């Protein structure tokens, strides 16, 4: 609600949620169960606009609708599978070179961790797209069963760690993306490609990662520069890795 100090008769209000922040936010997401959870103590619900550990939201899409994520904010997505419609996070969801926006899945791998699940590899869309996004760190997250699991479109300063892309047509597609670091991640059983890198002179880097059982290529280096270090690539036919 906004009210004039000089004339209290002049006022207006909105019915939607908004926040006034004094510090970075910790935002929590959970599915409809609590088994194996790490961060939350209750099932998630779309009506939990506060998105706390005791009243979590139920999807990353809802968080994107409700919150303006800013540098230093952390989204914790707890153990479980989340059926996800295609979601685009654009430049408004960006950190800085010193303070990233963080999306962190469950560290409870024995309980299955955190998985975003698409509606099938035949659906022509990307499950999660970072469009012109800057300085975001994504960790402990699996993306599966989508045409493209994660698309980095002109994104910059994105760090993926303990990330898994499996059973998508293509795991991760980097198009005009710069200064991308993929670390300790797994790309497996994607019928197309594990990682696609297209068109940038800046260096993107893959470290300590595994590519196995991808149908066409583990890595499709179309153009630009991509450094691969201390990783395992399973060969798949002549000149295909």
């Amino acid at each position: 609600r906004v009210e004039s100090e000089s004339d209290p008769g002049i006022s207006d209000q909105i019915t939607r949620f908004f926040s006034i922040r004094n510090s970075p936010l910790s935002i929590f997401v959970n599915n409809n169960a609590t088994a194996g959870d790490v961060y939350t103590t209750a099932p998630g619900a779309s009506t939990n606009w506060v998105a706390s550990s005791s009243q979590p939201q139920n999807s990353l899409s809802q968080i994107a609708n409700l919150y303006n994520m800013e540098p230093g904010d952390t989204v914790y997505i707890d153990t479980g599978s989340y059926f996800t419609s295609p979601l685009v996070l654009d430049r408004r969801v960006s950190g800085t070179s010193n303070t990233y926006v963080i999306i962190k899945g469950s560290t409870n791998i024995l309980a299955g961790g955190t998985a975003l699940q698409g509606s099938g590899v035949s659906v022509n869309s990307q499950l999660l797209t970072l469009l012109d996004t800057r300085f975001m760190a994504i960790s402990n997250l699996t993306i599966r069963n989508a045409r493209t699991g994660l698309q980095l479109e002109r994104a910059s300063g994105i760090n993926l760690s303990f990330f898994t892309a499996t059973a998508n047509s293509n795991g991760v597609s980097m198009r005009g993306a710069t200064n991308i670091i993929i670390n300790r991640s797994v790309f497996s059983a994607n019928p197309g490609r594990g990682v696609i890198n297209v068109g940038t002179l800046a260096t993107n880097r893959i470290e300590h990662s595994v590519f196995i059982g991808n149908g066409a290529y583990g890595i499709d280096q179309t153009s630009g520069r991509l450094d691969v270090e201390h990783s395992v690539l399973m060969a798949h036919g002549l000149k295909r890795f």
Side-chain angles (χ1 to χ4, degrees):
R1 180 179 175 87
V2 178
E3 185 174 287
S4 170
E5 289 185 346
S6 59
D7 185 352
I10 300 175
S11 66
D12 199 4
Q13 65 184 25
I14 63 172
T15 57
R16 291 195 62 185
F17 162 77
F18 70 97
S19 65
I20 299 174
R21 60 171 70 210
N22 295 314
S23 60
L25 301 178
S26 293
I27 304 167
F28 295 87
V29 176
N30 196 18
N31 62 0
N32 59 3
T34 57
D37 283 351
V38 176
Y39 308 121
T40 61
T41 57
S46 61
T47 54
N48 289 341
W49 57 266
V50 68
S52 66
S53 59
S54 60
Q55 293 179 290
Q57 261 293 330
N58 66 351
S59 72
L60 182 59
S61 298
Q62 276 288 90
I63 296 301
N65 288 333
L66 288 172
Y67 284 87
N68 176 27
M69 287 180 275
E70 297 182 5
D73 289 351
T74 301
V75 180
Y76 296 94
I77 309 177
D78 221 333
T79 307
S81 292
Y82 299 80
F83 290 92
T84 304
S85 299
L87 174 62
V88 177
L89 302 179
D90 60 21
R91 190 162 191 160
R92 292 171 293 180
V93 187
S94 291
T96 67
S97 59
N98 295 321
T99 310
Y100 280 46
V101 170
I102 299 170
I103 298 176
K104 187 172 183 178
S106 170
T107 55
N108 191 351
I109 304 303
L110 291 178
T114 299
L116 304 185
Q117 185 154 324
S119 54
V121 298
S122 62
V123 178
N124 189 20
S125 63
Q126 296 77 39
L127 186 59
L128 178 59
T129 299
L130 303 186
L131 177 62
D132 296 311
T133 309
R134 302 289 187 265
F135 304 111
M136 177 180 288
I138 299 175
S139 64
N140 300 99
L141 190 68
T142 295
I143 293 184
R144 63 187 180 212
N145 199 38
R147 184 67 173 267
T148 298
L150 172 63
Q151 179 139 318
L152 306 178
E153 188 80 25
R154 302 187 304 276
S156 180
I158 308 300
N159 290 353
L160 303 180
S161 60
F162 300 99
F163 176 88
T164 299
T166 185
N168 306 285
S169 182
N170 299 305
V172 172
S173 178
M174 300 186 287
R175 299 184 178 276
T178 58
N179 300 311
I180 309 301
I181 299 175
I182 300 174
N183 185 38
R184 290 177 168 81
S185 297
V186 176
F187 302 85
S188 67
N190 299 291
R193 295 151 172 81
V195 167
I196 301 169
N197 189 56
V198 180
T200 174
L201 296 178
T203 301
N204 296 324
R205 192 162 75 247
I206 299 174
E207 305 170 335
H208 306 287
S209 295
V210 175
F211 296 79
I212 187 167
N214 299 290
Y217 302 90
I219 298 174
D220 186 350
Q221 168 59 16
T222 302
S223 60
R225 176 171 173 175
L226 178 66
D227 291 352
V228 182
E229 303 174 351
H230 308 293
S231 296
V232 176
L233 287 78
M234 185 187 79
H236 184 79
L238 182 63
K239 296 184 179 179
R240 292 187 177 185
F241 296 95

